[in-house]
Amino acid sequence: MSNMHCCRIATLRLLGAVLLGGLLLGGCTPIQPWVKPYEREHLADPIMSFDRNPISSGYLDHVFEVREGARGATGGVGGGCGCN
Amino acid sequence: MTSGTSMVCVLLAGLALTAAPSLPAASVAAGAPAAAFQLPAAVGDPVSLADLKGQVVLINFWASWCGPCRQEMPILEQLYKKYKAAGFTLLGINVEPKSGDAMSFLKATPVSFPILFDTQSKVSTLYEVSGMPSTVIVDRKGNVRYVHHGYKPGDESEYLDQIRSLMRE
Amino acid sequence: MRLHLRARWLAAAAFGLGAVGHADVLPDDRTDVLFHRYDGGGVTVEGPSVLVRKKFGDAFSASYQYYEDLISSASIDVLSQASAYKEKRTQNNLNLDYLHGSTLYSVGYINSNEPDYKANTGFFNVSQSMFGDLTTVSFGFTRGFDKVGEVDKGVFQKYVGDAQHRNWQVSVSQVLTRNLLLGLNFETDESDGYLQSPYRGVRFVDPFSARGYSFGPAVAPSTRTGSAASAQLKYYLPWHAALEGNYRLYDDTWGVFANTVKFGYTQSLFTDWTFEATARYYWQSHATFYSDLYPYQDSQNFTSRDRELAQFHSLTLGLGASYEFHPGWPHWVNKGTLNFNYNRLHIDYQDFHDNLIPSLIPGDEPLYAYDASVMQFFISFWY
């Protein structure tokens, strides 16, 4: 295992930690939400979903992961109508 | 970072975030006078809140793209039919900039209570709507008494209790 | 030859994760029935899959998925070192979601079963909606236990080893404007145990062999740690369309470094139709201990000739169409969609040679490349 790969993995993990740190701090800011709930019409549209059909995206992720060395971080949370 | 440390970090962060207070939902204060407005209606003349003084008014902010809003509409229709003769009225304020989708929805799911169009989001801003749907219940004197954010099946029993108590005043 | 072992556990896990959508409402009640078919590189994999999801009360949602792979393989690895085979893999996923305020908790269990590989995976996920529902944060943990065996002509021969996996995921999605959504994902994966295929060997120069090379056993390290980070953007276009871009970086302790770039365009037309076009470009560097042809047997501590660990790039182009309908019957069905999806995958290896094409000098055979068709047809119902 070379130093370069160690560095890259450490960098990716650092990114993850920074993400977490940023979120924890973000919870304390006094900024008001800039997109109001009644302005979320486009975001609520199914075509704006990151993952419209989980059964299909799950299958396609599987097709690639089985044939490639990389895996993960395929995403799919959030957005949407923000209702309730 | 070892795997054990990573796991602990992620779990702690997860717990911290779920425990962290989210921003308080900004909205009109209970007890304050309900802001005056006049909006065009789907049927008939524009409706003004001032004209409804003396009645208990339930103002519901909804949109056709909002699932819980659509779910709530038949429930509101039942509420309206039940109490409209007793000094209660319901205003369904649609918040969409274009009314096409709202009209299509109403054709499929018609309601008898007044539907108003807030295409410029003026009233939504006035009432500091911070969730979809939002329900504001105004008493006979024109003061905001109860505010609800979101809709889950079962919320209507709360609406019922609150409307009844306001009608007894 | 069987698929790379780690890939099989991942195959199971891929279905369990990434299905957590929003933290402020439970996922929709729906049922999907899918038929899938992969055809390429001498391998055909097809089968059905059914996913059923239902809410219980206000706070709970459960889902169950059944998935089947009917594999008919005459791949380059199979033909090099064994003979064509047929096999069936089945997978069952069970998932439970609990909504409390704007926090969604999910637990799940996945079981993957085929004659020579049994995988059991458990996962836990927490999703929190915050900041006026503009931000969604998600944390997940997955644990997998695999039992690896060997099969010959459909008959189980022996148990070869165990593999264990631990996986952490963090995701953040942020509404940037009323038309723009950002997603950031981070995932780290640790595996240890038996992490190779018992059927695949490595090639080494053998002057005593007629072909000039021979096959011998491969030896993979017993641990592997990998991390991936990705960013995705989705933008709403005013003519009822959406544009998506996605970039992912991957790195692991075996030396595999990979990049993935994806673009997607979705268009709604004629009220009921939705069309989609996607393009995905992937490239990876080989594992440090990988080689298509070693100078002699046991020239290194760790050896592998797994194509999945080679240096290659691949391009996948996809098209999809979806039709929405409102069936009159049964009355409790709100809406349905009919969907068809086709992807064409092309892979070009830079350091994996097609040893089935005879060559005077081993290692001088043409580089291997192939095309594959991936097809999906599914019906979804919402109720």
Side-chain angles (χ1 to χ4, degrees):
Chain A
M1 189 174 74
S2 76
N3 281 336
M4 186 168 66
H5 298 298
C6 277
C7 266
R8 280 205 207 111
I9 294 170
T11 311
L12 284 170
R13 284 182 157 178
L14 183 65
L15 274 173
V18 166
L19 206 66
L20 289 179
L23 295 168
L24 289 167
L25 287 171
C28 310
T29 59
I31 307 169
Q32 288 298 315
W34 56 87
V35 177
K36 302 289 177 213
Y38 43 87
E39 293 176 325
R40 293 182 71 130
E41 185 169 357
H42 296 162
L43 299 168
D45 195 320
I47 64 169
M48 276 300 279
S49 165
F50 275 136
D51 197 7
R52 217 158 65 247
N53 294 302
I55 196 177
S56 170
S57 55
Y59 167 67
L60 216 50
D61 282 345
H62 152 71
V63 167
F64 292 121
E65 287 180 354
V66 140
R67 290 164 182 88
E68 295 171 349
R71 72 157 314 262
T74 46
V77 291
C81 112
C83 299
N84 282 350
Chain B
M1 228 177 10
T2 65
S3 69
T5 319
S6 306
M7 181 162 91
V8 169
C9 275
V10 170
L11 280 172
L12 281 176
L15 288 168
L17 271 169
T18 55
S22 36
L23 276 175
S27 97
V28 286
F37 62 84
Q38 188 186 64
L39 287 175
V43 175
D45 295 328
V47 172
S48 159
L49 183 64
D51 295 339
L52 301 169
K53 213 160 185 171
Q55 294 184 66
V56 173
V57 187
L58 187 149
I59 307 171
N60 177 258
F61 292 89
W62 69 282
S64 62
W65 47 258
C66 153
C69 304
R70 293 194 302 265
Q71 220 184 353
E72 198 183 20
M73 290 298 255
I75 311 286
L76 294 173
E77 171 71 357
Q78 280 172 21
L79 261 175
Y80 180 67
K81 278 205 182 107
K82 193 166 176 179
Y83 291 105
K84 71 175 186 190
F88 167 74
T89 191
L90 214 155
L91 297 177
I93 300 184
N94 179 268
V95 302
E96 298 170 64
K98 292 204 182 80
S99 311
D101 292 332
M103 296 303 281
S104 305
F105 170 76
L106 290 170
K107 234 192 226 156
T109 318
V111 292
S112 53
F113 57 85
I115 296 289
L116 311 178
F117 297 106
D118 185 23
T119 52
Q120 312 267 311
S121 299
K122 288 209 173 76
V123 183
S124 304
T125 317
L126 260 179
Y127 280 78
E128 294 169 44
V129 168
S130 56
M132 289 299 290
S134 269
T135 295
V136 176
I137 307 182
V138 179
D139 66 15
R140 296 183 195 277
K141 294 206 187 88
N143 294 321
V144 172
R145 296 295 286 275
Y146 302 102
V147 180
H148 296 267
H149 298 294
Y151 172 73
K152 286 187 191 65
D155 283 355
E156 59 268 26
S157 56
E158 244 189 277
Y159 296 166
L160 259 172
D161 291 338
Q162 289 167 354
I163 293 165
R164 283 205 207 108
S165 75
L166 290 179
M167 292 210 298
R168 277 184 237 120
E169 280 178 1
Chain C
M1 291 298 134
R2 303 314 198 255
L3 297 170
H4 193 275
L5 287 194
R6 173 189 188 234
R8 252 98 63 84
W9 169 72
L10 300 177
F15 285 98
L17 311 171
V20 182
H22 312 299
D24 42 6
V25 283
L26 288 169
D28 283 343
D29 283 349
R30 63 186 286 182
T31 290
D32 306 90
V33 181
L34 168 85
F35 174 73
H36 61 85
R37 187 183 156 91
Y38 169 96
D39 197 348
V43 176
T44 303
V45 183
E46 60 184 13
S49 179
V50 180
L51 174 59
V52 181
R53 178 173 276 284
K54 180 86 182 72
K55 292 193 192 77
F56 295 96
D58 286 339
F60 290 94
S61 174
S63 79
Y64 168 72
Q65 179 175 12
Y66 175 76
Y67 176 89
E68 210 173 86
D69 269 333
L70 290 155
I71 304 149
S72 192
S73 179
S75 71
I76 184 171
D77 311 280
V78 167
L79 297 177
S80 300
Q81 300 176 55
S83 51
Y85 69 91
K86 279 189 172 19
E87 193 176 75
K88 179 164 120 167
R89 178 177 85 91
T90 58
Q91 182 175 300
N92 291 278
N93 287 36
L94 198 57
N95 195 330
L96 188 65
D97 295 304
Y98 170 60
L99 181 66
H100 180 74
S102 54
T103 312
L104 187 70
Y105 301 88
S106 294
V107 285
Y109 167 70
I110 308 163
N111 171 270
S112 172
N113 199 351
E114 62 200 288
D116 56 2
Y117 199 96
K118 313 231 183 289
N120 288 291
T121 308
F123 66 88
F124 174 72
N125 190 293
V126 180
S127 240
Q128 174 74 41
S129 190
M130 51 190 13
F131 195 50
D133 287 335
L134 292 191
T135 310
T136 306
V137 180
S138 176
F139 294 96
F141 178 67
T142 305
R143 193 88 164 79
F145 303 89
D146 307 345
K147 282 202 137 31
V148 189
E150 232 180 276
V151 154
D152 187 20
K153 294 185 180 52
V155 178
F156 182 82
Q157 298 297 308
K158 60 178 183 196
Y159 156 77
V160 165
D162 283 345
Q164 285 195 65
H165 312 275
R166 281 165 302 278
N167 177 296
W168 295 267
Q169 317 102 39
V170 181
S171 280
V172 179
S173 90
Q174 178 67 52
V175 169
L176 294 177
T177 73
R178 36 197 312 179
N179 296 313
L180 186 60
L181 191 56
L182 168 72
L184 296 170
N185 308 284
F186 176 77
E187 188 166 334
T188 197
D189 196 67
E190 284 176 11
S191 299
D192 59 75
Y194 190 85
L195 306 177
Q196 63 191 82
S197 168
Y199 312 102
R200 283 191 184 171
V202 294
R203 212 165 56 128
F204 56 90
V205 175
D206 186 355
F208 301 111
S209 156
R211 315 179 276 194
Y213 67 85
S214 290
F215 281 99
V219 181
S222 59
T223 62
R224 182 176 187 179
T225 302
S227 295
S230 74
Q232 39 187 165
L233 276 172
K234 195 135 190 179
Y235 185 66
Y236 185 86
L237 296 162
W239 51 89
H240 211 173
L243 192 59
E244 180 172 353
N246 186 308
Y247 173 70
R248 176 185 69 172
L249 202 65
Y250 172 87
D251 197 16
D252 71 16
T253 52
W254 282 12
V256 175
F257 178 66
N259 294 274
T260 316
V261 181
K262 261 196 300 199
F263 289 104
Y265 179 79
T266 313
Q267 174 75 62
S268 271
L269 280 176
F270 319 122
T271 316
D272 302 318
W273 287 90
T274 305
F275 296 97
E276 191 171 40
T278 56
R280 177 188 189 269
Y281 187 67
Y282 174 89
W283 69 103
Q284 77 172 41
S285 66
H286 64 225
T288 48
F289 53 88
Y290 166 89
S291 179
D292 172 63
L293 180 69
Y294 292 93
Y296 52 91
Q297 191 163 23
D298 300 325
S299 55
Q300 287 176 193
N301 282 340
F302 299 121
T303 52
S304 174
R305 196 177 171 256
D306 280 356
R307 283 182 285 135
E308 294 79 23
L309 302 177
Q311 183 174 314
F312 67 86
H313 54 244
S314 85
L315 177 66
T316 308
L317 299 172
L319 284 173
S322 179
Y323 175 70
E324 185 176 310
F325 59 94
H326 299 267
W329 175 93
H331 63 272
W332 41 266
V333 173
N334 296 337
K335 77 170 193 214
T337 54
L338 268 170
N339 310 268
F340 180 73
N341 194 287
Y342 178 81
N343 276 275
R344 184 99 181 139
L345 159 67
H346 176 79
I347 302 189
D348 261 310
Y349 293 91
Q350 268 99 61
D351 57 8
F352 181 85
H353 297 260
D354 189 345
N355 54 290
L356 294 176
I357 298 172
S359 162
L360 279 175
I361 306 167
D364 234 19
E365 307 93 350
L367 290 170
Y368 187 55
Y370 70 88
D371 293 301
S373 289
V374 187
M375 192 208 81
Q376 297 177 70
F377 175 70
F378 62 101
I379 300 179
S380 305
F381 296 104
W382 282 259
Y383 39 83

